[in-house]
Amino acid sequence: MTDAAVPTARPHRASLLADDARMKRRKAAETRFRLYGLSAIAVSLATLAIMLWTIFSDGVSAFYQAKLTFPVTLSSDLLDPMGNGNRDEMVKVTTVGYNKLLTRAFEAELAAKGIDTGELSNKDVNALISKDAAGDLRAMVLANPAVLDTTITAKMLAAGRIDGYLKGRVTMQTAERDGQISPEQLQFADRLIDAGILSSQWNWDFFTNPDASDQRPEAAGLGVAILGSLYLMILVAVMCVPVGVAASIYLEEFAPKNRWTDLIEVNISNLAAVPSIVYGILGLAIFINFMGFPQSSTLVGALVISLMVLPTIIIATRASIRAVPPSIRDAALGVGASKMQMVVHHVLPLAAPGILTGTILGLATALGETAPLLLIGMVAFVDNYPSAPVEGFLDPATALPVQVYGWAQRADPAFIERSSGAIIVLLAFLVVMNVAAIILRRKFERRW
Amino acid sequence: MDDMRIVERTVNTKASKISAKGVQVHYGATHALKDVDVEILENTVTAFIGPSGCGKSTFLRCLNRMNDTIPSCRVDGSITLDGENIYDPRVDPVRLRARVGMVFQKPNPFPKSIYDNVAYGPKIHGLARTKAELDEIVETSLRKAALWNEAKDRLASPGTGLSGGQQQRLCIARAIATSPEVLLMDEPCSALDPIATAQVEELIDELRASFSVVIVTHSMQQAARVSQKTAFFHLGNLVEYGETGQVFTTPQDPRTEAYITGRIG
């Protein structure tokens, strides 16, 4: 190399303190890039906030319910005409009999407290009591005949319109156009509130009651739906986890890599992308029409949802098995562990947190799944609780998201409130499951 | 490099432990090892040297059939351990690997306690009937691996919490806990600092009393320091195999000489 080849002219060097045009463009581009990200996050947070606000403003009131509190004497003359306390005899007294007792007690209480009923007829006065109240009282007495001939302080559901009045949904203006309630009744309700008979109370029934008919929104609850969702989760977990984990282990650790396993792999990914309604049709055709499992049962629902969730669980499990460092496999094989020992002793424990998280997140999607359940009849009106497992898995039930859908369809605005309340319960379940996934992951995570 | 010492190094046994004849290895279409013949002697440290990708690790992994885990790998030729063909279909690689242990390039202790790391091999092979026997195996193995004094008070703490050199000695302890007859080491010191390397090398020399040791190394100094026999691989061929002193001082093949003097590699 000669000296002539060495460049002698030094290139112009700009000051480090001042940016040239090119540098300014780069900086501007970088700022824009950051802003895109920030605005994306802002948009999603705003959407989340709006969604939560809507749901909570509509739904929180579902957890409170207007109730009438007044003493009721459960006279055995009416409720136990044979006078022997025999349950079989008492069953013959229908809700009509209980209703009579209840309205009499209500009227007596009004008279005792000197509450002016105005120009309302007795029928209009008693219309403030929910149509469900007599049935409730009857169930209570039949469950415990010892209360006969005692005076209890009954907390009876008020009619749906009265509940709406307390929550601001029903006003004097709407009452004028409403066939089910009149402004006079609302004024009467005001007097009941003043007298301490009518009040809004925490609504445990919302969690325990079954669904109710269109005329009785005040009695509708999530009991069957929560139980149904719980059954679904149990069944899905029992069916999905062993199958999913076994399939993943086989595909990841044992299967030869050839055209067939490639095909299986592609199809697992495809299955994860199949719309859930398609699984519903499949379930209807195979499990109900062909195999003859009972309609609306949690077993069929769980089978369908399992088919839907399995690909997700397999993909998550395979990913976490693949994330176990190969050096651990070498180490196990190197000391003479068999392939099964390698998997059971070393790979699975290390992959467990990932498998758990994947499974819980898969179950969480399953919990929120609606479409396939509609097709297999879990959308039906179910007002009987399914019995305890295992037979209960064959009983008709509904699930939380389906209940949301069912209530949202009804005409009475009282059901919109219930629907939002059900969404809150569903979201609470989902949050609990996701938090459980995070905690389990933290707890079992091991470093290597 | 202490050349004088190498020359004086002698092999004091002629008994063959592993004998490889005409070994060919293919990875799919790649011909990774071509016609390799090697005799591994008892109670001897044999070093495999050569540039990267020359097939020395591949050959090492043939000796305990770790290549079985690579689906595209095909091994031809014969490798015998004490006269028995290890690629015979009746041979279960699990039993082979209990007799031919292995230490890997990167220390890879299980994410378990130090005790469990060492006890794992004896447990799965049923070498200990009682807890006391197992304790004894763990202690002896850790002593042989020169880790006992550092680890005896923390047997229950995780093996991954040790330093790199300690982890590698733990892996050696784990490998010798199944009382193998041959110990394969794939660049055991490449992830270690010079002090840890010196400890491991010293260890290798002590282990020679009980096992045949086969070590793959990139460091010619290390090969010269620890081995009695050296094999030089180049581009999938076994170029030269002989006593370490002879290979390093009077190599027969020009390629060996070129590699040792730093002209290829």
Side-chain angles (χ1 to χ4, degrees), chain A residues 257 325-339 341-342 345-346 349-350 446-448, chain B residues 61 64 66 69 94 97-98 100-102 104 106 108-112 120-121 124-125 160 174-175 178:
Chain A
K257 298 272 172 282
S327 64
I328 296 292
R329 294 186 176 82
D330 278 350
L333 293 177
V335 291
S338 68
K339 215 149 185 190
Q341 286 170 327
M342 173 191 90
H345 295 165
H346 302 288
L350 288 175
R446 282 196 253 184
R447 313 215 169 272
W448 52 79
Chain B
R61 290 169 67 94
N64 69 345
M66 281 299 278
T69 58
V94 166
R97 288 178 199 142
V100 183
M102 188 152 188
F104 297 85
K106 211 177 122 232
N108 55 355
F110 299 128
K112 296 169 184 259
Y120 184 67
I124 58 172
H125 294 297
T160 41
R174 179 177 67 193
T178 55

Side-chain angles (χ1 to χ4, degrees), chain A residues 210-242:
Chain A
D211 196 3
S213 69
D214 281 352
Q215 277 73 44
R216 296 175 294 141
E218 67 275 10
L222 286 170
V224 176
I226 290 177
L227 207 58
S229 277
L230 192 72
Y231 281 13
L232 274 180
M233 289 299 99
I234 294 172
L235 284 173
V236 169
V238 164
M239 292 191 274
C240 272
V241 176

Side-chain angles (χ1 to χ4, degrees), chain A residues 85-210:
Chain A
N86 186 341
R87 206 177 167 281
D88 297 333
E89 304 282 344
M90 285 166 64
V91 182
K92 287 176 186 160
V93 180
T94 61
T95 49
V96 179
Y98 283 86
N99 200 28
K100 217 178 280 173
L101 180 92
L102 210 54
T103 51
R104 245 183 248 168
F106 187 47
E107 285 157 17
E109 170 74 358
L110 294 178
K113 292 228 167 146
I115 295 168
D116 177 22
T117 57
E119 297 176 358
L120 293 173
S121 65
N122 273 356
K123 187 167 168 270
D124 286 343
V125 168
N126 291 329
L128 263 61
I129 305 175
S130 164
K131 293 184 177 71
D132 217 53
D136 257 8
L137 188 67
R138 179 171 180 261
M140 192 194 84
V141 172
L142 289 180
N144 180 18
V147 294
L148 276 180
D149 284 325
T150 60
T151 301
I152 59 163
T153 309
K155 282 186 182 175
M156 290 297 146
L157 283 172
R161 288 292 194 277
I162 298 299
D163 179 50
Y165 179 57
L166 263 68
K167 289 169 182 169
R169 192 169 56 235
V170 175
T171 61
M172 295 295 173
Q173 284 79 35
T174 63
E176 276 170 26
R177 286 174 273 124
D178 196 335
Q180 289 186 36
I181 196 97
S182 66
E184 289 75 26
Q185 282 173 308
L186 294 185
Q187 283 156 9
F188 172 56
D190 281 336
R191 293 196 287 278
L192 288 181
I193 295 171
D194 293 339
I197 297 176
L198 178 61
S199 62
S200 203
Q201 298 181 1
W202 177 251
N203 186 11
W204 277 120
D205 294 344
F206 186 56
F207 299 97
T208 54
N209 271 5

Side-chain angles (χ1 to χ4, degrees), chain A residues 252 314-324:
Chain A
E252 242 358 271
I314 291 179
I315 289 170
T317 307
R318 289 187 66 180
S320 52
I321 289 179
R322 217 173 300 153
V324 174

